[in-house]
């Protein structure tokens, strides 16, 4: 179970480039959303990942510094590791 209190943010963090934001939203964020929704995370965190997914579709949107920091942390924890569950599809 993941709680928002478990996520540290670093005040000295560098801003996300447009390329990094695009990569996060395109490749990593869908994985983060699925994992947060499935792992019993708190409601704030579920709302946060849904909000980022929704706002990320707007071309002019950019996250705040704090949003960037939380996004990076979630991607490093959830968005790159292989899935622990294997779903077998029988044909």
């Amino acid at each position: 179970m993941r709680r928002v209190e478990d996520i540290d943010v670093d005040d000295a963090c560098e801003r996300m480039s447009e390329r990094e934001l695009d990569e996060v939203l395109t490749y990593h964020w869908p994985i983060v959303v699925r994992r947060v929704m499935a792992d019993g995370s708190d409601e704030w965190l579920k709302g946060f990942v849904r909000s980022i997914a929704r706002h990320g579709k707007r071309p002019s949107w950019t996250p705040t510094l704090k949003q960037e920091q939380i996004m990076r942390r979630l991607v490093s924890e959830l968005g790159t590791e292989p899935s622990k569950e294997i779903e077998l599809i029988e044909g």
Side-chain angles (χ1 to χ4, degrees):
M1 176 183 243
R2 190 168 313 282
R3 297 174 319 190
V4 69
E5 295 86 17
D6 297 334
I7 300 174
D8 300 338
V9 291
D10 179 12
D11 293 333
C13 195
E14 191 176 308
R15 293 304 305 246
M16 251 185 214
S17 67
E18 191 173 320
R19 182 171 185 244
E20 180 185 6
L21 178 60
D22 186 50
E23 182 179 318
V24 166
L25 292 173
T26 303
Y27 298 109
H28 302 294
W29 207 248
I31 297 167
V32 169
V33 171
R34 282 192 298 273
R35 293 197 177 152
V36 166
M37 294 303 157
D39 75 358
S41 293
D42 66 28
E43 290 304 313
W44 185 91
L45 191 54
K46 288 179 180 181
F48 177 81
V49 297
R50 284 191 303 256
S51 175
I52 296 298
R54 185 174 50 254
H55 290 298
K57 294 176 184 175
R58 295 190 344 235
S60 62
W61 178 79
T62 56
T64 66
L65 182 57
K66 186 160 185 156
Q67 287 172 327
E68 288 178 3
Q69 293 169 341
I70 295 170
M71 289 168 69
R72 282 183 174 135
R73 181 68 183 255
L74 289 169
V75 166
S76 73
E77 292 178 3
L78 303 171
T80 56
E81 65 186 36
S83 179
K84 292 175 178 71
E85 293 183 28
I86 298 174
E87 183 178 332
L88 296 177
I89 301 173
E90 297 180 25

